[in-house]
Amino acid sequence: MGDDCETAALPADGPARICSYECTFCVPCGEAMGQVCPNCGGELVAGPRRRVAA
């Protein structure tokens, strides 16, 4: 997440953007970065959601 990100933590079942190296960002930060990972330059895409244990 960026330095000005207001998302404290991404919930396991929430939306996220992820690159091929598994760098993970919240959706607003991904959009602000043009869907390009600032760490590796890879494309940020929608990450899979995890099921939350009941």
Side-chain angles (χ1 to χ4, degrees):
M1 292 179 284
D3 292 337
D4 57 349
C5 181
E6 295 180 16
T7 304
L10 293 170
D13 64 341
R17 296 295 177 258
I18 189 168
C19 75
S20 62
Y21 288 101
E22 298 186 8
C23 300
T24 307
F25 301 92
C26 67
V27 173
C29 282
E31 291 172 352
M33 294 184 285
Q35 306 303 347
V36 175
C37 178
N39 301 318
C40 67
E43 178 184 18
L44 293 174
V45 298
R49 292 187 184 200
R50 297 180 180 163
R51 283 195 302 187
V52 176

Short mmCIF file of all heavy atoms in Angstrom, two decimals:
data_model
loop_
_atom_site.label_atom_id
_atom_site.label_comp_id
_atom_site.label_asym_id
_atom_site.label_seq_id
_atom_site.Cartn_x
_atom_site.Cartn_y
_atom_site.Cartn_z
N MET A 1 0.84 -1.18 0.00
CA MET A 1 0.00 0.00 0.00
C MET A 1 0.88 1.24 0.00
O MET A 1 1.96 1.24 0.56
CB MET A 1 -0.91 -0.01 1.23
CG MET A 1 -1.95 -1.13 1.18
SD MET A 1 -3.00 -1.19 2.63
CE MET A 1 -1.88 -1.92 3.79
N GLY A 2 0.40 2.27 -0.59
CA GLY A 2 1.15 3.51 -0.66
C GLY A 2 1.22 4.22 0.67
O GLY A 2 0.50 3.91 1.61
N ASP A 3 2.12 5.20 0.77
CA ASP A 3 2.31 5.93 2.02
C ASP A 3 1.06 6.70 2.43
O ASP A 3 0.84 6.95 3.60
CB ASP A 3 3.48 6.91 1.89
CG ASP A 3 4.81 6.18 1.76
OD1 ASP A 3 4.89 5.02 2.21
OD2 ASP A 3 5.75 6.78 1.22
N ASP A 4 0.24 7.10 1.47
CA ASP A 4 -0.96 7.86 1.79
C ASP A 4 -2.21 6.99 1.79
O ASP A 4 -3.33 7.48 1.82
CB ASP A 4 -1.12 9.02 0.81
CG ASP A 4 -1.19 8.56 -0.63
OD1 ASP A 4 -0.90 7.39 -0.91
OD2 ASP A 4 -1.54 9.40 -1.49
N CYS A 5 -2.05 5.68 1.82
CA CYS A 5 -3.17 4.74 1.80
C CYS A 5 -3.91 4.79 3.13
O CYS A 5 -3.30 4.82 4.19
CB CYS A 5 -2.68 3.32 1.54
SG CYS A 5 -4.01 2.12 1.49
N GLU A 6 -5.23 4.80 3.04
CA GLU A 6 -6.05 4.82 4.24
C GLU A 6 -6.58 3.43 4.61
O GLU A 6 -7.32 3.29 5.56
CB GLU A 6 -7.22 5.79 4.04
CG GLU A 6 -6.74 7.23 3.90
CD GLU A 6 -7.87 8.21 3.70
OE1 GLU A 6 -9.03 7.87 3.97
OE2 GLU A 6 -7.58 9.34 3.29
N THR A 7 -6.19 2.39 3.87
CA THR A 7 -6.60 1.03 4.16
C THR A 7 -5.61 0.43 5.14
O THR A 7 -4.46 0.19 4.80
CB THR A 7 -6.65 0.18 2.88
OG1 THR A 7 -7.52 0.82 1.95
CG2 THR A 7 -7.15 -1.22 3.15
N ALA A 8 -6.05 0.17 6.38
CA ALA A 8 -5.15 -0.34 7.41
C ALA A 8 -4.69 -1.76 7.08
O ALA A 8 -3.52 -2.09 7.21
CB ALA A 8 -5.84 -0.31 8.76
N ALA A 9 -5.60 -2.61 6.64
CA ALA A 9 -5.27 -3.99 6.31
C ALA A 9 -6.30 -4.51 5.32
O ALA A 9 -7.48 -4.15 5.40
CB ALA A 9 -5.25 -4.85 7.56
N LEU A 10 -5.85 -5.34 4.42
CA LEU A 10 -6.78 -5.91 3.45
C LEU A 10 -7.44 -7.13 4.07
O LEU A 10 -6.74 -8.04 4.53
CB LEU A 10 -6.03 -6.33 2.18
CG LEU A 10 -5.46 -5.19 1.35
CD1 LEU A 10 -4.54 -5.76 0.27
CD2 LEU A 10 -6.55 -4.37 0.74
N PRO A 11 -8.77 -7.18 4.10
CA PRO A 11 -9.43 -8.37 4.63
C PRO A 11 -9.20 -9.56 3.70
O PRO A 11 -9.07 -9.39 2.48
CB PRO A 11 -10.91 -7.98 4.69
CG PRO A 11 -11.05 -6.85 3.73
CD PRO A 11 -9.72 -6.16 3.68
N ALA A 12 -9.13 -10.76 4.25
CA ALA A 12 -8.85 -11.97 3.45
C ALA A 12 -9.87 -12.18 2.34
O ALA A 12 -9.54 -12.68 1.28
CB ALA A 12 -8.83 -13.19 4.36
N ASP A 13 -11.11 -11.77 2.57
CA ASP A 13 -12.16 -11.98 1.56
C ASP A 13 -12.47 -10.70 0.78
O ASP A 13 -13.43 -10.66 0.03
CB ASP A 13 -13.43 -12.52 2.21
CG ASP A 13 -14.03 -11.53 3.20
OD1 ASP A 13 -13.33 -10.61 3.66
OD2 ASP A 13 -15.23 -11.67 3.51
N GLY A 14 -11.65 -9.68 0.94
CA GLY A 14 -11.90 -8.40 0.27
C GLY A 14 -11.20 -8.30 -1.07
O GLY A 14 -10.33 -9.10 -1.40
N PRO A 15 -11.57 -7.30 -1.87
CA PRO A 15 -10.94 -7.12 -3.17
C PRO A 15 -9.51 -6.59 -3.01
O PRO A 15 -9.21 -5.84 -2.08
CB PRO A 15 -11.84 -6.09 -3.86
CG PRO A 15 -12.43 -5.31 -2.73
CD PRO A 15 -12.60 -6.29 -1.60
N ALA A 16 -8.64 -7.02 -3.91
CA ALA A 16 -7.24 -6.58 -3.88
C ALA A 16 -6.68 -6.62 -5.29
O ALA A 16 -7.26 -7.23 -6.19
CB ALA A 16 -6.42 -7.48 -2.97
N ARG A 17 -5.55 -5.97 -5.48
CA ARG A 17 -4.81 -6.02 -6.73
C ARG A 17 -3.47 -6.67 -6.42
O ARG A 17 -2.85 -6.38 -5.40
CB ARG A 17 -4.61 -4.62 -7.32
CG ARG A 17 -5.91 -3.95 -7.70
CD ARG A 17 -6.59 -4.70 -8.83
NE ARG A 17 -7.88 -4.14 -9.19
CZ ARG A 17 -9.05 -4.66 -8.82
NH1 ARG A 17 -9.09 -5.72 -8.05
NH2 ARG A 17 -10.17 -4.11 -9.20
N ILE A 18 -3.03 -7.58 -7.29
CA ILE A 18 -1.83 -8.37 -7.03
C ILE A 18 -1.02 -8.54 -8.31
O ILE A 18 -1.59 -8.61 -9.40
CB ILE A 18 -2.23 -9.74 -6.43
CG1 ILE A 18 -1.03 -10.52 -5.94
CG2 ILE A 18 -3.07 -10.55 -7.40
CD1 ILE A 18 -1.39 -11.74 -5.09
N CYS A 19 0.33 -8.59 -8.18
CA CYS A 19 1.18 -8.81 -9.35
C CYS A 19 1.66 -10.26 -9.34
O CYS A 19 1.37 -11.03 -8.42
CB CYS A 19 2.37 -7.84 -9.34
SG CYS A 19 3.65 -8.25 -8.14
N SER A 20 2.44 -10.66 -10.33
CA SER A 20 2.90 -12.04 -10.43
C SER A 20 3.86 -12.43 -9.30
O SER A 20 4.06 -13.60 -9.03
CB SER A 20 3.55 -12.30 -11.78
OG SER A 20 4.69 -11.48 -11.94
N TYR A 21 4.45 -11.43 -8.63
CA TYR A 21 5.32 -11.71 -7.49
C TYR A 21 4.56 -11.64 -6.16
O TYR A 21 5.15 -11.66 -5.10
CB TYR A 21 6.50 -10.72 -7.45
CG TYR A 21 7.51 -10.98 -8.54
CD1 TYR A 21 7.51 -10.21 -9.69
CD2 TYR A 21 8.44 -12.00 -8.43
CE1 TYR A 21 8.43 -10.45 -10.70
CE2 TYR A 21 9.36 -12.25 -9.43
CZ TYR A 21 9.35 -11.46 -10.57
OH TYR A 21 10.25 -11.70 -11.57
N GLU A 22 3.25 -11.51 -6.25
CA GLU A 22 2.34 -11.47 -5.10
C GLU A 22 2.45 -10.21 -4.26
O GLU A 22 2.12 -10.21 -3.07
CB GLU A 22 2.48 -12.74 -4.24
CG GLU A 22 2.11 -13.99 -5.01
CD GLU A 22 2.10 -15.25 -4.16
OE1 GLU A 22 2.23 -15.14 -2.92
OE2 GLU A 22 1.97 -16.33 -4.74
N CYS A 23 2.93 -9.11 -4.84
CA CYS A 23 2.84 -7.82 -4.17
C CYS A 23 1.35 -7.47 -4.18
O CYS A 23 0.71 -7.60 -5.22
CB CYS A 23 3.63 -6.75 -4.93
SG CYS A 23 5.39 -7.10 -5.10
N THR A 24 0.82 -7.09 -3.06
CA THR A 24 -0.63 -6.90 -2.94
C THR A 24 -0.96 -5.49 -2.50
O THR A 24 -0.32 -4.95 -1.60
CB THR A 24 -1.21 -7.91 -1.92
OG1 THR A 24 -0.79 -9.23 -2.30
CG2 THR A 24 -2.71 -7.86 -1.89
N PHE A 25 -1.98 -4.91 -3.14
CA PHE A 25 -2.40 -3.54 -2.87
C PHE A 25 -3.92 -3.47 -2.82
O PHE A 25 -4.61 -4.29 -3.43
CB PHE A 25 -1.89 -2.59 -3.97
CG PHE A 25 -0.39 -2.60 -4.10
CD1 PHE A 25 0.23 -3.46 -4.99
CD2 PHE A 25 0.39 -1.76 -3.32
CE1 PHE A 25 1.61 -3.49 -5.11
CE2 PHE A 25 1.77 -1.79 -3.44
CZ PHE A 25 2.39 -2.65 -4.33
N CYS A 26 -4.43 -2.47 -2.12
CA CYS A 26 -5.88 -2.25 -2.13
C CYS A 26 -6.28 -1.71 -3.51
O CYS A 26 -5.44 -1.24 -4.28
CB CYS A 26 -6.30 -1.29 -1.02
SG CYS A 26 -5.70 0.40 -1.22
N VAL A 27 -7.55 -1.80 -3.84
CA VAL A 27 -8.04 -1.38 -5.15
C VAL A 27 -7.75 0.09 -5.42
O VAL A 27 -7.24 0.43 -6.50
CB VAL A 27 -9.54 -1.72 -5.30
CG1 VAL A 27 -10.10 -1.15 -6.59
CG2 VAL A 27 -9.74 -3.23 -5.27
N PRO A 28 -8.04 1.02 -4.49
CA PRO A 28 -7.74 2.43 -4.77
C PRO A 28 -6.26 2.69 -5.07
O PRO A 28 -5.93 3.47 -5.97
CB PRO A 28 -8.20 3.16 -3.51
CG PRO A 28 -9.24 2.28 -2.91
CD PRO A 28 -8.76 0.88 -3.21
N CYS A 29 -5.36 2.03 -4.34
CA CYS A 29 -3.93 2.22 -4.61
C CYS A 29 -3.56 1.64 -5.96
O CYS A 29 -2.79 2.24 -6.70
CB CYS A 29 -3.07 1.59 -3.51
SG CYS A 29 -3.01 2.58 -2.00
N GLY A 30 -4.11 0.48 -6.30
CA GLY A 30 -3.85 -0.11 -7.61
C GLY A 30 -4.28 0.81 -8.73
O GLY A 30 -3.55 1.00 -9.72
N GLU A 31 -5.44 1.41 -8.58
CA GLU A 31 -5.94 2.35 -9.58
C GLU A 31 -5.05 3.58 -9.66
O GLU A 31 -4.73 4.07 -10.74
CB GLU A 31 -7.38 2.73 -9.28
CG GLU A 31 -8.35 1.58 -9.48
CD GLU A 31 -9.76 1.88 -9.00
OE1 GLU A 31 -9.99 2.93 -8.36
OE2 GLU A 31 -10.63 1.04 -9.26
N ALA A 32 -4.62 4.10 -8.50
CA ALA A 32 -3.77 5.29 -8.46
C ALA A 32 -2.41 5.03 -9.11
O ALA A 32 -1.80 5.95 -9.66
CB ALA A 32 -3.58 5.76 -7.01
N MET A 33 -1.95 3.77 -9.07
CA MET A 33 -0.66 3.42 -9.67
C MET A 33 -0.81 2.98 -11.12
O MET A 33 0.15 2.48 -11.72
CB MET A 33 0.00 2.31 -8.85
CG MET A 33 0.37 2.76 -7.46
SD MET A 33 1.24 1.51 -6.50
CE MET A 33 -0.09 0.39 -6.08
N GLY A 34 -2.00 3.12 -11.68
CA GLY A 34 -2.21 2.74 -13.08
C GLY A 34 -2.13 1.24 -13.30
O GLY A 34 -1.76 0.81 -14.38
N GLN A 35 -2.42 0.45 -12.26
CA GLN A 35 -2.37 -1.02 -12.30
C GLN A 35 -0.97 -1.54 -12.64
O GLN A 35 -0.81 -2.60 -13.24
CB GLN A 35 -3.42 -1.58 -13.28
CG GLN A 35 -4.83 -1.12 -13.04
CD GLN A 35 -5.39 -1.41 -11.64
OE1 GLN A 35 -4.86 -2.17 -10.85
NE2 GLN A 35 -6.51 -0.78 -11.34
N VAL A 36 0.07 -0.78 -12.20
CA VAL A 36 1.46 -1.20 -12.39
C VAL A 36 2.12 -1.29 -11.02
O VAL A 36 2.10 -0.33 -10.25
CB VAL A 36 2.24 -0.20 -13.28
CG1 VAL A 36 3.71 -0.58 -13.38
CG2 VAL A 36 1.61 -0.13 -14.66
N CYS A 37 2.71 -2.43 -10.71
CA CYS A 37 3.36 -2.64 -9.42
C CYS A 37 4.59 -1.73 -9.30
O CYS A 37 5.47 -1.77 -10.17
CB CYS A 37 3.77 -4.10 -9.27
SG CYS A 37 4.63 -4.44 -7.72
N PRO A 38 4.68 -0.95 -8.22
CA PRO A 38 5.84 -0.07 -8.06
C PRO A 38 7.10 -0.84 -7.65
O PRO A 38 8.20 -0.32 -7.77
CB PRO A 38 5.40 0.88 -6.94
CG PRO A 38 4.45 0.07 -6.13
CD PRO A 38 3.71 -0.79 -7.13
N ASN A 39 6.95 -2.07 -7.21
CA ASN A 39 8.10 -2.87 -6.77
C ASN A 39 8.81 -3.57 -7.94
O ASN A 39 10.02 -3.58 -8.01
CB ASN A 39 7.66 -3.92 -5.75
CG ASN A 39 7.02 -3.29 -4.54
OD1 ASN A 39 7.49 -2.28 -4.03
ND2 ASN A 39 5.93 -3.85 -4.09
N CYS A 40 8.01 -4.17 -8.84
CA CYS A 40 8.62 -4.96 -9.91
C CYS A 40 8.23 -4.48 -11.31
O CYS A 40 8.77 -4.98 -12.30
CB CYS A 40 8.24 -6.42 -9.76
SG CYS A 40 6.48 -6.76 -10.02
N GLY A 41 7.28 -3.55 -11.41
CA GLY A 41 6.85 -3.06 -12.71
C GLY A 41 5.83 -3.96 -13.39
O GLY A 41 5.45 -3.71 -14.52
N GLY A 42 5.41 -5.02 -12.70
CA GLY A 42 4.45 -5.96 -13.26
C GLY A 42 3.03 -5.41 -13.24
O GLY A 42 2.73 -4.42 -12.57
N GLU A 43 2.16 -6.07 -13.97
CA GLU A 43 0.76 -5.69 -14.04
C GLU A 43 0.03 -6.08 -12.76
O GLU A 43 0.20 -7.20 -12.26
CB GLU A 43 0.10 -6.39 -15.23
CG GLU A 43 -1.36 -6.11 -15.38
CD GLU A 43 -2.00 -6.90 -16.50
OE1 GLU A 43 -1.42 -7.91 -16.95
OE2 GLU A 43 -3.09 -6.50 -16.91
N LEU A 44 -0.78 -5.18 -12.24
CA LEU A 44 -1.63 -5.48 -11.09
C LEU A 44 -2.99 -5.92 -11.61
O LEU A 44 -3.60 -5.23 -12.43
CB LEU A 44 -1.78 -4.25 -10.19
CG LEU A 44 -0.52 -3.80 -9.46
CD1 LEU A 44 -0.78 -2.50 -8.72
CD2 LEU A 44 -0.03 -4.87 -8.51
N VAL A 45 -3.44 -7.08 -11.15
CA VAL A 45 -4.73 -7.63 -11.57
C VAL A 45 -5.54 -7.97 -10.33
O VAL A 45 -5.03 -8.01 -9.21
CB VAL A 45 -4.55 -8.88 -12.46
CG1 VAL A 45 -3.81 -8.54 -13.74
CG2 VAL A 45 -3.82 -9.97 -11.71
N ALA A 46 -6.83 -8.23 -10.54
CA ALA A 46 -7.69 -8.60 -9.42
C ALA A 46 -7.19 -9.89 -8.80
O ALA A 46 -6.94 -10.88 -9.49
CB ALA A 46 -9.13 -8.77 -9.91
N GLY A 47 -6.99 -9.85 -7.49
CA GLY A 47 -6.53 -11.04 -6.77
C GLY A 47 -7.68 -11.95 -6.40
O GLY A 47 -8.81 -11.49 -6.25
N PRO A 48 -7.41 -13.23 -6.28
CA PRO A 48 -8.47 -14.15 -5.87
C PRO A 48 -8.87 -13.89 -4.43
O PRO A 48 -8.05 -13.46 -3.61
CB PRO A 48 -7.82 -15.53 -6.03
CG PRO A 48 -6.36 -15.27 -5.88
CD PRO A 48 -6.13 -13.89 -6.43
N ARG A 49 -10.13 -14.15 -4.14
CA ARG A 49 -10.60 -13.96 -2.76
C ARG A 49 -10.54 -15.28 -2.03
O ARG A 49 -10.77 -16.34 -2.61
CB ARG A 49 -12.03 -13.44 -2.76
CG ARG A 49 -12.12 -12.03 -3.30
CD ARG A 49 -13.51 -11.51 -3.13
NE ARG A 49 -13.61 -10.19 -3.74
CZ ARG A 49 -14.55 -9.33 -3.44
NH1 ARG A 49 -15.49 -9.63 -2.58
NH2 ARG A 49 -14.57 -8.15 -4.01
N ARG A 50 -10.23 -15.22 -0.76
CA ARG A 50 -10.20 -16.41 0.08
C ARG A 50 -11.52 -16.58 0.79
O ARG A 50 -12.17 -15.61 1.14
CB ARG A 50 -9.09 -16.30 1.13
CG ARG A 50 -7.73 -16.22 0.52
CD ARG A 50 -6.70 -16.09 1.61
NE ARG A 50 -5.37 -16.01 1.02
CZ ARG A 50 -4.32 -15.57 1.67
NH1 ARG A 50 -4.43 -15.19 2.91
NH2 ARG A 50 -3.17 -15.53 1.08
N ARG A 51 -11.90 -17.82 1.00
CA ARG A 51 -13.10 -18.09 1.80
C ARG A 51 -12.75 -17.85 3.26
O ARG A 51 -11.69 -18.25 3.73
CB ARG A 51 -13.58 -19.51 1.62
CG ARG A 51 -14.31 -19.74 0.34
CD ARG A 51 -15.06 -21.02 0.36
NE ARG A 51 -14.12 -22.15 0.60
CZ ARG A 51 -14.48 -23.40 0.54
NH1 ARG A 51 -15.70 -23.74 0.27
NH2 ARG A 51 -13.60 -24.35 0.78
N VAL A 52 -13.68 -17.24 3.96
CA VAL A 52 -13.49 -17.00 5.38
C VAL A 52 -14.07 -18.19 6.15
O VAL A 52 -15.18 -18.62 5.89
CB VAL A 52 -14.19 -15.69 5.82
CG1 VAL A 52 -14.06 -15.49 7.31
CG2 VAL A 52 -13.60 -14.51 5.06
N ALA A 53 -13.27 -18.72 7.06
CA ALA A 53 -13.72 -19.86 7.85
C ALA A 53 -14.91 -19.47 8.71
O ALA A 53 -14.95 -18.40 9.29
CB ALA A 53 -12.58 -20.38 8.74
N ALA A 54 -15.90 -20.34 8.76
CA ALA A 54 -17.12 -20.04 9.53
C ALA A 54 -16.93 -20.29 11.00
O ALA A 54 -16.10 -20.92 11.48
CB ALA A 54 -18.27 -20.90 9.01
#
